[in-house]
Amino acid sequence: MKILYIQEFGDTNGGVQKLITQLAMAMATKGHDVTILSHRQDDYHYAELLRQGGVKFVNLNMRHRFSPWKALKYITLIRSQHYDIVHTNHSIPQAWSLVVSKFCPRSVGWITTEHATNSIRRKFNWFRFFDRQIYRCYHRVVSVSLTVQHSLLSWTGDTPGNRYVVVRNGIDTKTLAHANPIPRTDLSLHKDDIVVCSIGRLSPEKDFSTFIRAFCFLPQQYKGIIVGDGELKGSLQEEISRLQLSDRIQMTGTRKDIGSILKASDIYVSTSTSEGFGLTVIEASACGIPVIASRIPAFEELLGPAQLFPPSDSRALAEIIQHADSISRPDDKFICQFSIQTMTDNYLQIYNQIKKQIDATCGQ
């Protein structure tokens, strides 16, 4: 099967990019002919990573994300390469597909994955009509959680049916489970410290301020690690300094050794106020450490009530952190649901369903 994945950026810095990269390489391992098409390449090691994983890479190298030339390039590539499946993963490629699909052969199967409970288009109420048309041009619309699917259907006004399905994101559970903890001395930590880790983009919806403020209510032996980068880096650093927590909370920036950092931590916390899925919660669970998260729908799908705290309530968060030893660890059966292998098998089943549906239609 020939599969084309369309995403905005050529790198593995974002959660969606990392996810699609892993999915594409897993499909290639199964013997499929796989290509990733990106609007712009931001990581020049990315093409080599894909090549080693048996995946082709096409970089449009375009400066303007909304250029109509992008649609023309999509059409040219899809028509010339005779793909069986085209799988989009970002708002802008989704929108262009409404036009592009009209100029491609009927034999092409179209699928998109909705990764979040919001998008650029949902900021404008008048876009609701166009979104209905956009999603209806796809044979399947996949949501990464029930929360995301509910949000999407509420927006479009569509009813659940064969077109809309849920496939939960997958992670490399084996690599995480076997990761070696980074030496605490590399992070300027002591063996007696109780290390609380949080990972994510430094943006408003991640609410790292709540994570920081929780340390005002925690004993001195609790130390915090924030892994990630983003537009709020400066303001979060200022907050840490203002609260006189510089000796207790450190910001590491983006790291490649997430598994090793999680294995060196005692507790994982997510303070997000909005999530489509919450991949880091599953990553931490796979590393065998207690997980605590804000009480939002995406996390309520994954965690028990004892692991959840009211969003933005730093005092309540601190209270749960101090009782983290009582949090039960997930078993292997739970973790297996979120493996790359399970996710890949689920998507491959959908691809085959689409192909069978198209073959039946074209044969009429």
Side-chain angles (χ1 to χ4, degrees):
M1 190 181 302
K2 292 193 73 171
I3 307 167
L4 176 67
Y5 294 98
I6 302 178
Q7 60 181 32
E8 279 294 279
F9 304 109
D11 58 34
T12 54
N13 291 326
V16 176
Q17 290 96 303
K18 180 180 178 181
L19 185 74
I20 297 308
T21 300
Q22 291 175 327
L23 176 59
M25 291 194 293
M27 288 292 180
T29 300
K30 287 180 174 290
H32 299 285
D33 186 338
V34 182
T35 301
I36 287 182
L37 170 67
S38 88
H39 159 78
R40 188 178 75 241
Q41 185 174 4
D42 287 352
D43 180 353
Y44 288 93
H45 299 290
Y46 186 62
E48 179 60 22
L49 171 69
L50 292 179
R51 187 191 67 77
Q52 292 176 0
V55 177
K56 301 168 188 173
F57 179 63
V58 177
N59 175 25
L60 295 182
N61 196 26
M62 299 185 71
R63 295 177 59 187
H64 303 293
R65 299 174 70 189
F66 299 97
S67 170
W69 289 111
K70 180 186 288 190
L72 181 59
K73 291 189 177 190
Y74 285 178
I75 293 167
T76 301
L77 179 67
I78 293 168
R79 289 179 66 92
S80 65
Q81 295 300 313
H82 308 289
Y83 292 105
D84 298 299
I85 297 291
V86 175
H87 188 161
T88 66
N89 287 277
H90 292 272
S91 292
I92 296 174
Q94 279 180 343
W96 278 124
S97 295
L98 179 61
V99 176
V100 172
S101 61
K102 308 300 182 187
F103 293 91
C104 291
R106 292 176 58 200
S107 59
V108 177
W110 292 83
I111 176 174
T112 191
T113 298
E114 196 73 13
H115 295 271
T117 55
N118 51 52
S119 70
I120 296 173
R121 302 193 302 270
R122 292 190 213 177
K123 293 180 180 179
F124 308 98
N125 201 49
W126 52 266
F127 222 121
R128 191 186 303 266
F129 169 79
F130 293 100
D131 261 11
R132 291 194 187 107
Q133 310 313 310
I134 287 168
Y135 291 112
R136 287 171 186 172
C137 82
Y138 287 97
H139 294 91
R140 293 292 186 279
V141 178
V142 176
S143 296
V144 298
S145 68
L146 291 170
T147 299
V148 170
Q149 186 182 69
H150 176 74
S151 174
L152 174 62
L153 294 175
S154 296
W155 166 250
T156 62
D158 284 342
T159 56
N162 292 335
R163 186 190 307 274
Y164 294 95
V165 296
V166 173
V167 174
R168 289 187 168 89
N169 288 337
I171 59 172
D172 189 347
T173 53
K174 291 183 179 178
T175 298
L176 287 168
H178 294 95
N180 293 315
I182 187 172
R184 287 196 168 191
T185 52
D186 289 3
L187 298 170
S188 301
L189 297 168
H190 300 99
K191 65 177 183 179
D192 296 329
D193 289 334
I194 301 174
V195 181
V196 187
C197 178
S198 192
I199 301 169
R201 187 174 60 257
L202 306 184
S203 55
E205 71 276 7
K206 301 299 182 182
D207 192 22
F208 281 106
S209 287
T210 293
F211 178 83
I212 292 167
R213 292 195 304 272
F215 284 83
C216 296
F217 306 105
L218 290 168
Q220 288 292 321
Q221 69 264 36
Y222 285 86
K223 303 295 173 63
I225 300 175
I226 297 175
V227 181
D229 209 341
E231 66 267 29
L232 296 185
K233 180 179 180 179
S235 63
L236 292 172
Q237 287 174 328
E238 289 176 7
E239 185 170 16
I240 291 170
S241 178
R242 178 171 53 80
L243 295 174
Q244 299 181 353
L245 295 170
S246 298
D247 61 334
R248 297 180 59 197
I249 301 176
Q250 60 178 296
M251 301 175 68
T252 70
T254 302
R255 300 279 299 222
K256 300 287 187 182
D257 54 348
I258 296 298
S260 296
I261 289 180
L262 287 169
K263 282 294 187 72
S265 303
D266 297 295
I267 303 165
Y268 182 77
V269 169
S270 177
T271 50
S272 294
T273 56
S274 174
E275 283 284 357
F277 178 73
L279 201 63
T280 59
V281 162
I282 300 301
E283 290 176 331
S285 297
C287 287
I289 63 174
V291 174
I292 299 166
S294 47
R295 189 180 294 116
I296 59 175
F299 293 148
E300 288 179 309
E301 284 188 44
L302 303 173
L303 305 175
Q307 297 170 264
L308 303 171
F309 69 94
S312 303
D313 189 336
S314 54
R315 189 183 293 272
L317 170 57
E319 182 69 21
I320 296 182
I321 287 173
Q322 291 182 81
H323 295 90
D325 286 343
S326 64
I327 295 174
S328 60
R329 309 300 198 273
D331 57 24
D332 291 341
K333 184 178 180 181
F334 173 83
I335 298 299
C336 184
Q337 298 178 63
F338 306 100
S339 70
I340 287 290
Q341 184 62 51
T342 298
M343 179 184 70
T344 303
D345 289 344
N346 288 336
Y347 272 113
L348 189 55
Q349 183 179 17
I350 292 171
Y351 296 166
N352 285 325
Q353 288 172 351
I354 293 173
K355 198 168 185 305
K356 184 177 180 180
Q357 177 184 336
I358 291 172
D359 289 345
T361 302
C362 292
Q364 291 178 352

